[in-house]
Amino acid sequence: MTARAAFLERAKAIGVALAWIVAFGIVGGVASWTLARLARPTPSWSLAWVFGTAAAGFGLATWLVGRRLDHRSWKALGWRPGTGCPFGLTAGVACGAVMAVAAIALAVLGGATVHWTAAAAPWGAVALPLAAALIVAALVEELMFRGYPLRRLADAIGAAPATAVSALAFGLAHVANPSATLLSTVNVALAGAWLACAFFSPGAMPLAWGAHFGWNATLALAFDAPVSGFVFGVPGIAYHPGPYAWLDGRAFGPEGGVVTTVVMIAGVATLAAWARRGGTGAGTGTA
């Protein structure tokens, strides 16, 4: 095959992959929009409802576009991990929680504070619906940015380039968040790479989902720190950033500071090594 023919073949594979991913996005978006309008939950559960219907919508897109139409196996889509789903999910939550605690600890060393406060409302009344929202929000983003889109792109260009592309997309998807900065965008992109490495590891989608939830839930529920610029006001505890925005991210939260850069680089290195040793790589896994 000539160089020109090889180039055209690769360009065709990329174009086909992008067409499938666009179709996945359309199906998921339309299904999510439709499901969200089936009910009007109470204000405290509205966030969980919105993310829950989005998870259902993109779950449907995964099955319809990824499984039925494009014939990707459940293993290729990340739902039959080598570790088993319960272990992968639990290990992911633990991994995300440990990394979030490490980021907060580094922020505290730089001048941030965490202290107990008088609770204006029961912790559980806020924490329960927020935890439900965070766990389905993590699933939505994993289905949208990892899962079928990452697998389909990896089949066309390889796991490493697909990881880089999906990480960049993940970072750019958060640029409109409150108080976003260049560093916060870089850190969210690093988080995207970390979660992509989780997807390609033996823990696959459950590990990525659990890690995503563990990180967000620990920041929000354990410390009441901002998560990607959003403050949830969990009662009984208060987090206050220190004097250095470059270090702890100030209003964006730890994800906007160097504390997250450090822990995310460590997380990427660890999971990338595990993925290389025993992950799913870029095999098609068609069925």
Side-chain angles (χ1 to χ4, degrees), residues 25-265:
I26 292 172
V27 171
V30 170
S32 300
W33 183 87
T34 303
L35 291 171
R37 279 147 183 80
L38 295 179
R40 291 180 178 272
T42 60
S44 61
W45 287 93
S46 60
L47 195 61
W49 173 255
V50 169
F51 284 124
T53 53
F58 280 94
L60 173 65
T62 298
W63 171 78
L64 179 61
V65 178
R67 184 73 185 94
R68 301 301 298 174
L69 299 179
D70 200 22
H71 306 296
R72 261 51 191 176
S73 68
W74 285 120
K75 182 177 181 180
L77 294 172
W79 290 108
R80 288 185 179 168
T83 62
C85 284
F87 179 84
L89 184 61
T90 303
V93 172
C95 176
V98 167
M99 290 178 61
V101 169
I104 292 291
L106 291 173
V108 168
L109 289 175
T113 60
V114 179
H115 60 273
W116 299 109
T117 64
W123 183 84
V126 176
L128 185 59
L130 178 56
L134 290 175
I135 196 167
V136 289
L139 177 57
V140 171
E141 291 196 334
E142 291 314 302
L143 291 172
M144 290 176 66
F145 289 95
R146 266 68 60 181
Y148 174 71
L150 181 56
R151 167 59 63 195
R152 197 62 180 80
L153 192 59
D155 290 345
I157 63 176
T163 293
V165 171
S166 68
L168 178 61
F170 193 57
L172 292 176
H174 291 74
V175 296
N177 284 28
S179 306
T181 64
L182 177 60
L183 182 54
S184 74
T185 303
V186 170
N187 283 342
V188 174
L190 281 173
W194 170 54
L195 295 167
C197 289
F199 175 79
F200 286 125
S201 79
M205 274 294 281
L207 184 74
W209 178 19
H212 196 151
F213 169 69
W215 171 269
N216 287 349
T218 301
L219 290 180
L221 299 176
F223 299 105
D224 195 33
V227 179
S228 298
F230 293 98
V231 179
F232 297 103
V234 175
I237 192 166
Y239 168 85
H240 296 287
Y244 308 110
W246 62 268
L247 182 66
D248 59 31
R250 289 276 180 84
F252 193 84
E255 292 168 327
V258 170
V259 296
T260 290
T261 311
V262 171
V263 298
M264 283 299 163
I265 289 174

